[in-house]
Amino acid sequence: MNFKADRISITKGWDRSTQIVASARTGHQLHHEIRYADGSATGFTLMPGALAARDVAIAGLGDGSVHVMASEYAEG
């Protein structure tokens, strides 16, 4: 999926993977991708149920999970 990101956040996982969350410049939808240590990647996909976001953050936890935080986008 190709899109232009307005904001991005990256975290490193315990397994040396990298997870990225990005807010698209058009529509401000949230996209997520995992890049594995072997070089393979999931590709960016829309995060289901996510709100239109202005700012985004992602944090990797020691148990392998991640938490994503986003502030709602509002015109003006």
Side-chain angles (χ1 to χ4, degrees):
M1 171 179 291
N2 291 328
F3 67 96
K4 293 183 179 182
D6 197 29
R7 307 272 190 211
I8 65 168
S9 184
I10 303 169
T11 191
K12 181 181 173 205
W14 61 271
D15 61 354
R16 298 184 355 217
S17 65
T18 302
Q19 294 201 32
I20 305 163
V21 66
S23 173
R25 194 172 287 173
T26 304
H28 304 279
Q29 304 98 335
L30 289 180
H31 299 263
H32 176 256
E33 178 181 67
I34 302 171
R35 294 185 182 189
Y36 298 100
D38 67 3
S40 64
T42 62
F44 281 98
T45 57
L46 283 171
M47 292 181 67
L51 55 96
R54 174 188 6 229
D55 293 315
V56 297
I58 189 169
L61 304 179
D63 65 358
S65 66
V66 296
H67 287 225
V68 174
M69 187 172 85
S71 62
E72 188 171 6
Y73 178 82
E75 291 289 332

